Amino acid sequence: MFKRTKVRQLLETTHYNREVTVKGWVRTFRNNQFIAINDGSTISNIQAVIDFTNTDEALLKRITTGACVSVTGNLIESVGKGQQVEIKVTGLEIIGDSDAEKFPLQPKKHSLEFLREIAHLRFRTNTFNAVFKIRHALAFAVHQFFNDKGFVYLHTPIITSSDAEGAGEMFRVSTFDPDHVPRNEDGSVNYKEDFFGKATNLTVSGQLEGELAAMAFGEVYTFGPTFRAENSNTTRHLAEFWMIEPEMAFFDLDDNMDLAEELLKYVIKYAIENCFEELEFLKTRLSEEEKLKPQTERSELDLLAKLNFCLDNDFERLTYTEAIQILKNSKPNQKKQFKYPIDTWGADLQSEHERFLVEKYFKKPVILTNYPSEIKAFYMRQNEPDEQGRKTVRAMDILFPGIGEIVGGSQREERLDKLEQRMAEMEIPLQEMSWYLDTRRFGTAPHAGFGLGFERLVLFVTGMTNIRDVIPFPRTPKNAEF
Ligand code: 4AD
Ligand code: MG
């Protein structure tokens, strides 16, 4: 097979007048002459010019949008506008035909909603080329960041028997025939008969296993799929999403926040430095979309300015209690514009509150700390109750503009008695979690960690607005296509 050259390479070269072969998919075919070919290596197409007077009519008909072609010809400096180089075709082969009548992607702008329905083909659009290239770059940057710091990449199990977040939003894993589930005498399900001999589920977080490894390696991180059966049909929730969870021995809450802020800035900077073409494209796309919105709803910064702003500013750090005070006194609260008015300490913050703090009040990323223990997971380190007897834990959530919560983490409760007491209060079976408690029994140490939602990060960096558009095949309530 004749070796192909990638389009990216050809568009960067000035080495003209040589024979090249390009393989890719036809985007457009104009005037029976100009073929725009995209091979995925760049958003840009290469133009191939075919001499139609000397080409078989039947072959010309097969050059349709979506067809896969191999084109050989002379690479020349282009005379036309819009491109540096083009290929003067000497040989063209149709690798795979595409019926122009049936191919759903026409050379025009399609809505994101429509493209979501044909997610198997949307990779072939410029928008999704850019989004998934950036997704790749961010994943690579995450590994680079931790590797450079000497963290160990830990693969935690996808099938578990524990509920790490204690929220009960889990997908069951079972090989039972749903029509013939073995039962105990009292009617309850007999999981002893199931594949693993106990009730199992898809993991909601790799944190608990991460903690075990941190008590040996010191610093570890996970980066894998996690699953939540929460029935949240929003632009920020997926039933299957990827999470990055570092866990560090001898880190307190401040160290934890420093690391999270450093990680976020590092990966955003990496994208700016390595995804210039993609970000420029998405910036333009976003600003065109913004123009359709009323003036008051448009964002003040373009995509790149927004990313750079995030790099150039310290994230605002404040406690939950301080945030509640700000929210209580805020205009939207006083004017009863919040759907969930803030009147008492202890309320869980809704996305409208998070967005007010980030987008209206501080106008930059915010880290909220020391949340009420009632609204947080069992493993978080307990603070001494304040003068008013209010109980808080050493939690931290990072809130981003347009996104809301992007990171959730905490210092962990390393004291066995305190941890057991809290688990008992929350009715978490101590016996089943004995392996977890062993870390506190044998050489316990202060430690901390956090979880960064990877798709929420990709959302922020790409400026896309729906989380379904930053993961190749989204899983959401009532949807598991492809
Ligand atoms: O705040 P969460 O639930 O924290 C944990 O799972 C901890 N075990 C993390 C840790 O300390 N190691 O989730 C962490 C992050 C959220 O901040 C959010 O970015 C993302 O995961 N996330 C989701 N992303 C998409 N869809 C969902 N349904 C998500 N739920 C959480
Ligand atoms: Mg959270």
Side-chain angles (χ1 to χ4, degrees), residues 332-441:
N333 199 50
Q334 312 251 310
K335 289 189 171 172
K336 307 213 179 323
Q337 285 161 345
F338 284 142
K339 194 164 162 232
Y340 299 91
I342 295 282
D343 41 30
T344 53
W345 188 94
D348 205 354
L349 298 184
Q350 305 295 326
S351 122
E352 58 181 348
H353 308 130
E354 296 177 346
R355 297 186 74 153
F356 172 82
L357 290 170
V358 174
E359 289 157 32
K360 298 279 184 311
Y361 194 85
F362 291 110
K363 292 185 190 282
K364 60 175 173 167
V366 168
I367 314 185
L368 290 187
T369 60
N370 297 298
Y371 281 79
S373 47
E374 282 309 304
I375 56 171
K376 287 292 180 188
F378 70 90
Y379 50 70
M380 298 189 178
R381 196 177 199 282
Q382 298 155 36
N383 287 318
E384 284 300 308
D386 69 8
E387 316 83 68
Q388 292 160 65
R390 299 185 298 207
K391 288 186 183 157
T392 55
V393 285
R394 296 187 73 69
M396 63 113 174
D397 277 7
I398 304 187
L399 315 178
F400 257 39
I403 305 291
E405 181 190 334
I406 193 165
V407 163
S410 73
Q411 189 175 328
R412 315 306 188 191
E413 182 54 82
E414 84 284 11
R415 299 162 298 184
L416 182 65
D417 55 335
K418 298 265 183 200
L419 182 58
E420 283 183 333
Q421 189 192 336
R422 186 71 190 131
M423 287 170 78
E425 276 168 20
M426 295 175 83
E427 293 176 12
I428 294 164
L430 288 161
Q431 202 51 47
E432 279 169 37
M433 299 288 283
S434 182
W435 51 272
Y436 179 68
L437 294 169
D438 268 358
T439 52
R440 276 64 170 177
R441 291 190 187 108

Side-chain angles (χ1 to χ4, degrees), residues 182-239:
R183 299 205 175 264
N184 299 311
E185 273 172 15
D186 63 359
S188 60
V189 176
N190 182 2
Y191 286 108
K192 288 207 178 71
E193 299 262 312
D194 205 351
F195 189 91
F196 295 106
K198 52 163 37 178
T200 49
N201 55 273
L202 295 179
T203 186
V204 296
S205 155
Q207 177 196 321
L208 303 190
E209 291 88 354
E211 284 185 57
L212 311 179
M215 290 298 113
F217 295 105
E219 290 165 353
V220 301
Y221 72 105
T222 72
F223 188 168
T226 47
F227 307 86
R228 306 257 167 116
E230 49 190 338
N231 199 4
S232 308
N233 231 326
T234 78
T235 54
R236 306 278 174 267
H237 289 87
L238 289 165

Side-chain angles (χ1 to χ4, degrees), residues 297-336:
E297 284 172 32
R298 289 184 206 163
S299 78
E300 293 161 31
L301 303 176
D302 72 29
L303 180 59
L304 277 162
K306 190 184 76 168
L307 298 180
N308 277 307
F309 180 83
C310 187
L311 299 185
D312 297 340
N313 288 282
D314 290 338
F315 298 179
E316 187 73 33
R317 299 181 185 191
L318 71 158
T319 65
Y320 166 91
T321 305
E322 287 162 341
I324 285 290
Q325 211 48 47
I326 291 170
L327 287 166
K328 244 188 192 168
N329 298 333
S330 71
K331 244 195 209 150
N333 199 50
Q334 312 251 310
K335 289 189 171 172
K336 307 213 179 323

